């Protein structure tokens, strides 16, 4: 759904640019509350993963394809404010390096693909999670529904922007029907990718999923002395002597950030004397696994992606929206159209461009989020 230059006139493009800049500014402040030492590097990885999966166009109808937008996935994994920044970084990299999405239309694309999808998806996700039973399955189901709705919501937003500043004389009713119709189908693919990704992370490390905080709680692990009696309320580690079951369950509103010392074990003096909480596990394995998946998608699987135009391209061609489309300012970029210039082998050219894109997005995204995290740490130390 990358809007090229020339679809939207200059005044509306300028207004959406202001909206996008405001959304990014607010998100930079909001992300300080969402990021910590472990999740800041993971946020950069989420941006790189979204970039990679967006290269995998999948067929949705005759002659039409779709790809991940990523707003729902980013919001659920790292938080809504950080999610807006993740998708914005992806759109910036795509526009500057790969001539995908107009530079004068960057404000339109951030408003539509980063802001609208993230806000709509996270609002729906939190509503479902609040009303449904607090189980891991709820997070996955809520992710599916949120992602499904976010894509046609973005199509509606584009139609509204086009109604205000479209450069071609096209009936808005036809644009609305065509955009929403095809993007409902694309939303199914978005929902499947989002639910599978969120479900996979929740299954192994629910503490790293922002949207799962307060919904799922990993088993509390307590180191017990082999000579001391089991502490009441403590949960035994694997291979350790059995202890009395904990009162905390997966249904309890225990956040993934809560250390074991805040459980019922702290209310027992014997537990505090005889047991010590297991330190937080490193997120390094998840980071490397995510990076490997992103490189595989961008460097290898992308070669087999559908070559059909995506939903917006198809509608634009069929309805005449592209009548005044302009050439991209970066059309002569060495990486334009997701290929490396002067490399004739299509598989090697596309794969290498994908790997470069993942690396560039990871570097820029990680840099942004680490700086945001450090500013929070600086502000906290200044108040103390």
């Amino acid at each position: 759904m990358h809007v090229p230059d020339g679809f939207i006139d200059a005044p509306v493009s300028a207004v959406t640019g202001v909206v996008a800049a405001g959304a990014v500014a607010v998100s930079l402040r909001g992300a300080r509350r969402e990021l910590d030492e472990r999740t800041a590097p993971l946020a950069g990885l989420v941006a790189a993963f979204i970039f990679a999966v967006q290269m995998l166009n999948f067929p949705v109808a005759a002659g039409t394809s779709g790809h991940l937008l990523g707003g729902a996935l980013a919001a659920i994994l790292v938080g809504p404010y950080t999610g807006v920044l993740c998708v914005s970084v992806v759109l910036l990299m795509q526009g500057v390096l790969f001539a995908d999405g107009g530079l004068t239309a960057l404000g339109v694309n951030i408003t539509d693909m980063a802001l609208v999808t993230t806000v709509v998806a996270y609002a729906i996700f939190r509503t479902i999670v609040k009303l449904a039973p607090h189980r891991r399955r709820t997070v996955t189901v809520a992710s599916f529904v949120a992602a499904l709705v976010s894509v046609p919501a973005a199509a509606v937003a584009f139609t509204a922007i086009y109604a205000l500043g479209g450069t071609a004389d096209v009936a808005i009713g036809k644009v609305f029907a065509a955009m929403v119709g095809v993007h409902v189908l694309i939303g199914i693919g978005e929902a499947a990718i989002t639910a599978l990704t969120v479900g996979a992370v929740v299954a192994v490390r629910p503490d790293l999923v922002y949207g799962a905080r307060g919904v799922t709680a990993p088993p509390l692990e307590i180191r017990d002395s082999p000579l001391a009696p089991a502490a009441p309320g403590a949960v035994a580690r694997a291979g350790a002597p059995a202890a009395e079951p904990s009162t905390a369950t997966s249904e309890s509103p225990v956040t993934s950030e809560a250390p074991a010392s805040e459980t019922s074990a702290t209310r027992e003096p014997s537990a505090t004397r005889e047991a010590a909480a297991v330190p937080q596990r490193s997120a390094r394995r998840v980071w490397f696994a995510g990076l490997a998946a992103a490189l595989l998608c961008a460097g290898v699987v992308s070669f087999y992606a559908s070559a059909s135009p995506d939903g917006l391209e198809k509608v634009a061609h069929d309805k005449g929206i592209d009548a005044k489309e302009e050439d991209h300012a970066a059309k002569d970029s060495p990486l334009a159209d997701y290929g490396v210039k002067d490399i004739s082998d299509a598989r090697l050219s596309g794969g290498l461009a994908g790997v470069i894109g993942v690396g560039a997005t990871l570097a820029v995204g990680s840099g942004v989020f680490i700086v945001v995290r450090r500013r929070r740490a600086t502000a906290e130390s200044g108040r103390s």
Side-chain angles (χ1 to χ4, degrees):
M1 196 186 287
H2 296 74
V3 179
D5 295 319
F7 275 28
I8 308 298
D9 63 25
V12 174
S13 294
V15 170
T16 56
V18 172
V19 172
V24 169
V26 171
S27 297
L28 284 170
R29 293 182 62 86
R32 296 181 187 180
R33 300 190 297 271
E34 296 174 346
L35 297 172
D36 56 32
E37 292 83 355
R38 294 181 304 160
T39 56
L42 288 174
L45 176 62
V46 169
F49 183 79
I50 290 173
F51 172 90
V53 180
Q54 282 196 2
M55 295 182 66
L56 309 182
N57 280 50
F58 48 85
V60 295
T64 309
S65 70
H67 62 73
L68 181 80
L69 299 186
L73 178 62
I76 295 166
L77 287 179
V78 292
Y81 293 106
T82 309
V84 170
L85 298 178
C86 283
V87 182
S88 297
V89 168
V90 172
L91 293 171
L92 179 63
M93 294 295 101
Q94 290 170 333
V96 172
L97 297 180
F98 298 91
D100 188 11
L103 296 183
T104 62
L106 184 60
V108 175
N109 286 319
I110 290 177
T111 300
D112 193 27
M113 296 177 63
L115 180 59
V116 172
T117 59
T118 300
V119 170
V120 170
Y122 198 71
I124 293 173
F125 175 84
R126 291 308 309 174
T127 300
I128 295 175
V129 164
K130 183 177 180 180
L131 298 177
H134 285 191
R135 297 190 178 94
R136 292 184 180 182
R137 184 180 302 176
T138 298
V139 175
T140 304
V141 172
S143 301
F144 184 94
V145 176
L148 177 64
V149 177
S150 70
V151 177
V156 172
F158 168 78
T159 305
I161 293 172
Y162 194 83
L164 295 174
T167 56
D169 186 14
V170 182
I172 297 303
K174 293 182 179 180
V175 175
F176 176 84
M179 284 293 293
V180 174
V182 71
H183 283 90
V184 166
L185 299 177
I186 295 174
I188 297 174
E190 176 104 8
I193 295 170
T194 301
L196 287 173
T197 305
V198 172
V201 181
V202 167
V204 296
R205 291 295 301 273
D207 57 305
L208 297 179
V209 178
Y210 183 88
R213 297 176 181 179
V215 180
T216 63
L220 303 174
E221 295 182 327
I222 302 297
R223 289 197 185 101
D224 292 325
S225 169
L227 300 179
V235 179
R237 299 174 62 197
E244 292 182 14
S246 169
T247 56
T249 68
S250 60
E251 302 287 332
S252 303
V254 179
T255 65
S256 59
E257 296 179 331
S261 60
E262 293 179 6
T263 67
S264 58
T266 61
R267 295 191 294 269
E268 299 292 338
S270 61
T272 57
R273 289 194 301 265
E274 303 293 345
V278 174
Q280 285 186 330
R281 291 184 292 167
S282 170
R284 187 174 300 174
R285 289 186 179 180
V286 175
W287 192 92
F288 280 114
L291 179 59
L295 292 173
L296 178 64
C297 289
V300 180
V301 182
S302 62
F303 180 76
Y304 304 97
S306 173
S308 299
D310 69 18
L312 176 59
E313 292 173 330
K314 179 66 172 175
V315 172
H317 177 73
D318 291 347
K319 304 301 179 183
I321 296 176
D322 58 355
K324 296 185 178 181
E325 180 179 352
E326 301 172 1
D327 289 338
H328 199 287
K331 66 177 182 178
D332 296 324
S333 165
L335 299 173
D337 297 324
Y338 297 93
V340 179
K341 191 175 182 180
D342 297 330
I343 294 182
S344 57
D345 185 284
R347 187 190 299 268
L348 178 60
S349 177
L352 184 57
V355 170
I356 293 172
V358 167
T361 306
L362 179 63
V364 173
S366 297
V368 169
F369 298 124
I370 289 173
V371 169
V372 170
R373 169 58 191 164
R374 286 178 177 174
R375 286 186 177 181
R376 171 185 171 178
T378 301
E380 290 175 347
S381 62
R383 290 194 298 266
S384 61

